[in-house]
Amino acid sequence: MPEIVLTAADDAQDSSNDSDFLLQRRVIEISDGSLALRAFRPRAVQEAAQDAFGTGTEERAAAVEAAVVKAALAGLKTGRVADDVAPPAAGAASRKDLRAATEWLLLVADAYVNRVGRVRDDGRPELVGA
């Protein structure tokens, strides 16, 4: 969602080279994107991914979240909102520090690329490596 990227004008001059500041901005941009996708997060995909991947570890929970995000992005592209909206990933709000939030997003990104396949015509992603 490139429209969410904070502009360089939003930077404080002395913060533009601070890696923690830039990382925090990126985490905020991703969080804003997740909020923008709320209406497109299908609960049916979340439940199917939970059945396929389980939720006992952070990696499994990240795979579930990646499946929901992929389906939500497909819904956004086609204008198809979810009939029943999936809640945010369990524990997402509890990741209060920058390190924990970054580690979570890296797990979701890895699962997005490696564990969730293409989105089918019905809006549901194919789950691989379940």
Side-chain angles (χ1 to χ4, degrees):
M1 303 184 96
E3 65 275 10
I4 293 178
V5 175
L6 300 173
T7 65
D10 296 333
D11 281 343
Q13 285 291 346
D14 56 349
S15 299
S16 63
N17 292 322
D18 179 5
S19 60
D20 283 344
F21 173 77
L22 296 173
L23 179 60
Q24 185 168 5
R25 278 181 50 137
R26 180 64 49 96
V27 169
I28 290 168
E29 290 167 351
I30 294 168
S31 296
D32 288 350
S34 294
L35 287 173
L37 290 174
R38 270 187 308 208
F40 300 94
R41 295 174 52 89
R43 185 183 300 266
V45 169
Q46 186 179 52
E47 291 169 353
Q50 287 170 338
D51 290 344
F53 295 123
T55 58
T57 67
E58 286 283 296
E59 290 81 7
R60 291 172 186 261
V64 171
E65 182 64 8
V68 173
V69 168
K70 192 165 270 196
L73 286 168
L76 175 67
K77 185 176 181 181
T78 62
R80 180 180 17 197
V81 297
D83 294 330
D84 190 10
V85 175
S94 66
R95 293 178 181 89
K96 301 257 185 237
D97 66 60
L98 182 59
R99 181 183 181 107
T102 302
E103 288 172 359
W104 168 250
L105 292 173
L106 288 170
L107 286 173
V108 173
D110 180 67
Y112 187 95
V113 171
N114 297 307
R115 300 196 66 191
V116 182
R118 70 173 186 85
V119 175
R120 300 183 310 227
D121 291 338
D122 65 1
R124 296 178 72 134
E126 294 174 349
L127 307 178
V128 294

